[in-house]
Amino acid sequence: MIRKCALALGAILLASGCGGSSQHESGAGRSPSVDASTSSASDTASPTPEATGSSPEPALTTEEPVEETSAEETPASDPLDSDDGEDTTHDDTEPAGDGSVDCAGLAGSGTFTDPLRLGSLDGPVTARGCAPLTPGSPFNVRYFSFTLSGSPGSNAHAGASFTLTQDALGPVYPAIVQPNGWVLKHSLGSGYWTGTEPDFTGRYQQIGDLAPGTYILRTEKLDTALHSMTTPSYDVVVDPDSSSY
C-alpha cells in the first residue's frame, strides 16, 4: 500500500515539473515582441534630428550683407587712382611765382612763335637782365608769353624797366598781343612812362581789363632816324595785381 502511494506521488511531481518548463518557454517567446515595439518607436523618433538639421540654412543669408559692404568699399579706392595722374599735366606754363627770374634762363627763343615763357602767374614776376634791343631785324624785337590764372586787378600792368645811358638812348616799347597775332595794346597807341623825359625809367601797358588767359608781351625798339640807336638791357615786369588773387 505504501509503495503504491510513493509511485503515485512521484508521478504527480513529474507532471508538475513538465508544466513549469512549458510556462517559461512561452514567456520567452513573448519577449521579442516587446523589443520590436521599442525599436519601432526609436525609428519613428529619428526624423526629428533631421528636421532640426535644416535650421542652419538662414545663416547663409546673414553672410550676404558682409559681401555687399566689401563690394561698396571698392569705389573708395578710385580717387586714389585718379591722384596718381596729377603730375602728368606738367608743362612750361607752370606758375613762375613771386620774385625775380633770370631772363637768359627762360624757356623759348624770344620769337613770336617761340616766345620766352614767363608761365602762369600767381603774383608779380620780373625777368631781369634781358639783352639790349639793337638795330636790324630780328634784334629790334623780343617776345614774352604769360598766362593770367585769374582776373587781374585794376592796377595790373606789364612792360619794361630800364635805365637810359649815353650809349643806349633807345627806350623799350611794350605791346600786348594775342597768340593769334591780334594786337590788343599798341606800343604807341597806349601805355605810360615812368620817370621824366628824357630820363625815362620804364614803359608799361595796363592789363587790368584783360580776361584770364595767355598773352604775348612784345618788347621792341621803335625804328627812328637814328638807326644805330640801341636800348639798354632791361627788365620785363608783369604784375597781375596780386591783391585780387
Side-chain angles (χ1 to χ4, degrees):
M1 182 73 177
I2 296 172
R3 184 177 180 181
K4 291 181 179 180
C5 291
L7 292 174
L9 180 62
I12 293 171
L13 293 175
L14 179 62
S16 63
C18 293
S21 61
S22 62
Q23 290 177 354
H24 178 76
E25 291 175 357
S26 64
R30 287 193 300 267
S31 60
S33 63
V34 176
D35 296 338
S37 63
T38 55
S39 62
S40 62
S42 62
D43 292 339
T44 57
S46 60
T48 54
E50 294 178 358
T52 57
S54 61
S55 60
E57 292 182 355
L60 297 177
T61 59
T62 58
E63 295 179 357
E64 292 178 357
V66 177
E67 295 178 356
E68 290 177 358
T69 54
S70 62
E72 291 175 356
E73 292 176 358
T74 54
S77 61
D78 292 340
L80 297 178
D81 297 336
S82 62
D83 292 342
D84 293 339
E86 65 183 79
D87 292 336
T88 58
T89 58
H90 176 79
D91 55 24
D92 292 332
T93 61
E94 203 168 300
D98 296 351
S100 301
V101 295
D102 185 7
C103 188
L106 294 175
S109 60
T111 64
F112 180 79
T113 57
D114 185 28
L116 297 171
R117 293 183 282 277
L118 298 174
S120 180
L121 306 183
D122 56 4
V125 62
T126 301
R128 299 192 179 277
C130 299
L133 300 173
T134 60
S137 178
F139 308 107
N140 60 351
V141 64
R142 189 174 292 120
Y143 297 90
F144 300 80
S145 68
F146 63 92
T147 299
L148 297 174
S149 58
S151 298
S154 58
N155 295 323
H157 56 274
S161 173
F162 47 82
T163 301
L164 299 176
T165 65
Q166 289 293 332
D167 298 328
L169 295 175
V172 177
Y173 289 82
I176 303 297
V177 185
Q178 288 183 326
N180 61 6
W182 185 265
V183 179
L184 298 177
K185 298 178 183 292
H186 293 271
S187 301
L188 292 176
S190 60
Y192 61 92
W193 298 101
T194 58
T196 56
E197 191 178 3
D199 299 323
F200 295 122
T201 59
R203 184 170 174 85
Y204 299 89
Q205 297 282 358
Q206 293 178 333
I207 61 173
D209 57 343
L210 298 182
T214 299
Y215 299 92
I216 293 177
L217 173 66
R218 183 180 71 201
T219 59
E220 57 186 325
K221 182 192 83 66
L222 293 182
D223 202 10
T224 66
L226 299 175
H227 293 289
S228 60
M229 186 168 58
T230 66
T231 72
S233 60
Y234 60 99
D235 301 337
V236 167
V237 179
V238 181
D239 187 353
D241 189 11
S242 59
S243 62
S244 65
Y245 273 52

